[in-house]
Amino acid sequence: NAGVTQTPKFQVLKTGQSMTLQCAQDMNHEYMSWYRQDPGMGLRLIHYSVGAGITDQGEVPNGYNVSRSTTEDFPLRLLSAAPSQTSVYFCASSATSLWGTEAFFGQGTRLTVV
Amino acid sequence: SQKIEQNSEALNIQEGKTATLTCNYTNYSPAYLQWYRQDPGRGPVFLLLIRENEKEKRKERLKVTFDTTLKQSLFHITASQPADSATYLCALEANQAGTALIFGKGTTLSVSS
């Protein structure tokens, strides 16, 4: 059972380049989210999705685009990378139950923008 | 907007003692609060969830309390072990629908033998 899979694990970009961080889950979860984690800042919500075709902005959406064409996949796009986007990115999936919304995280993508 | 604060960045204790971590929140009345563990280089892992109508929840050596009047949750690890050393994060719903979570900055616990 793979859970949440993120690719790549590491990436170095030059300022202005674009790239897509991939995220896939095999748990048939309706909700998916992207976070960035920076030292001293904790996990900050970038974008999230409540189902295929539906996305919304989180705390720090600027500079990032997302789409959700299938339940399984939720890619995060950086259209023009900036050094301020150097961070560790985590994708999470979750599904609401009577007990709340437990999130399952991928292993992260460490992105460096030079 | 809602805000979560974990008031200790780091906590150092000796093996066998009880570790107590604090999570405070403002501007919101969450239906539940969650605690996660994060090890270096890995994604957070869910530990416990406590609902607003629950005062306390236990799981093995872990105990979580939830005081909606104080807007505070306490996370306890009893009989702590060096393997408990990690960063612990508290989390709340980002919106009323509970479709995403927001996290505190975390408390890094170090248990020395």
Side-chain angles (χ1 to χ4, degrees):
Chain A
N1 189 352
V4 179
T5 302
Q6 289 184 237
T7 56
K9 287 187 170 54
F10 301 94
Q11 182 71 49
V12 178
L13 286 180
K14 293 183 179 179
T15 298
Q17 285 186 316
S18 63
M19 81 160 293
T20 299
L21 280 62
Q22 302 291 344
C23 176
Q25 54 99 0
D26 61 1
M27 296 173 282
N28 201 32
H29 285 167
E30 50 191 333
Y31 306 148
M32 296 186 75
S33 306
W34 275 103
Y35 297 85
R36 60 177 289 173
Q37 188 170 40
D38 304 290
M41 300 297 292
L43 281 163
R44 290 183 291 169
L45 181 64
I46 305 172
H47 285 284
Y48 63 97
S49 169
V50 301
I54 307 170
T55 63
D56 206 347
Q57 296 180 349
E59 305 167 82
V60 289
N62 293 340
Y64 307 95
N65 280 351
V66 292
S67 60
R68 183 102 179 267
S69 56
T70 67
T71 299
E72 294 77 21
D73 300 299
F74 190 42
L76 179 71
R77 297 183 185 84
L78 284 71
L79 298 179
S80 179
S84 60
Q85 294 179 305
T86 293
S87 186
V88 180
Y89 291 85
F90 288 100
C91 177
S93 75
S94 58
T96 299
S97 70
L98 288 175
W99 314 110
T101 308
E102 172 189 343
F104 295 82
F105 284 82
Q107 292 299 298
T109 295
R110 184 173 295 274
L111 175 68
T112 302
V113 183
V114 298
Chain B
S1 62
Q2 57 271 40
K3 187 175 178 182
I4 307 174
E5 289 184 351
Q6 294 184 250
N7 58 4
S8 296
E9 285 192 10
L11 180 63
N12 299 308
I13 64 170
Q14 283 194 317
E15 184 175 8
K17 301 293 186 182
T18 296
T20 299
L21 286 63
T22 304
C23 177
N24 296 288
Y25 60 92
T26 58
N27 300 335
Y28 194 52
S29 295
Y32 55 85
L33 184 144
Q34 304 184 23
W35 285 88
Y36 288 76
R37 170 180 172 144
Q38 186 174 24
D39 292 288
R42 304 186 71 87
V45 174
F46 173 80
L47 294 175
L48 278 170
L49 178 152
I50 185 166
R51 301 186 68 80
E52 60 178 341
N53 60 353
E54 297 176 313
K55 297 294 185 186
E56 179 181 300
K57 179 167 279 189
R58 293 175 185 263
K59 179 181 177 182
E60 297 174 350
R61 294 184 295 110
L62 308 180
K63 184 179 84 171
V64 173
T65 62
F66 195 11
D67 189 325
T68 55
T69 301
L70 292 178
K71 294 186 183 293
Q72 181 180 82
S73 175
L74 299 179
F75 177 81
H76 306 273
I77 305 175
T78 58
S80 59
Q81 304 166 0
D84 295 325
S85 298
T87 297
Y88 293 87
L89 308 167
C90 66
L92 295 172
E93 311 112 281
N95 50 49
Q96 290 283 358
T99 52
L101 296 172
I102 57 171
F103 287 81
K105 294 180 182 180
T107 296
T108 298
L109 174 67
S110 296
V111 181
S112 55
S113 56

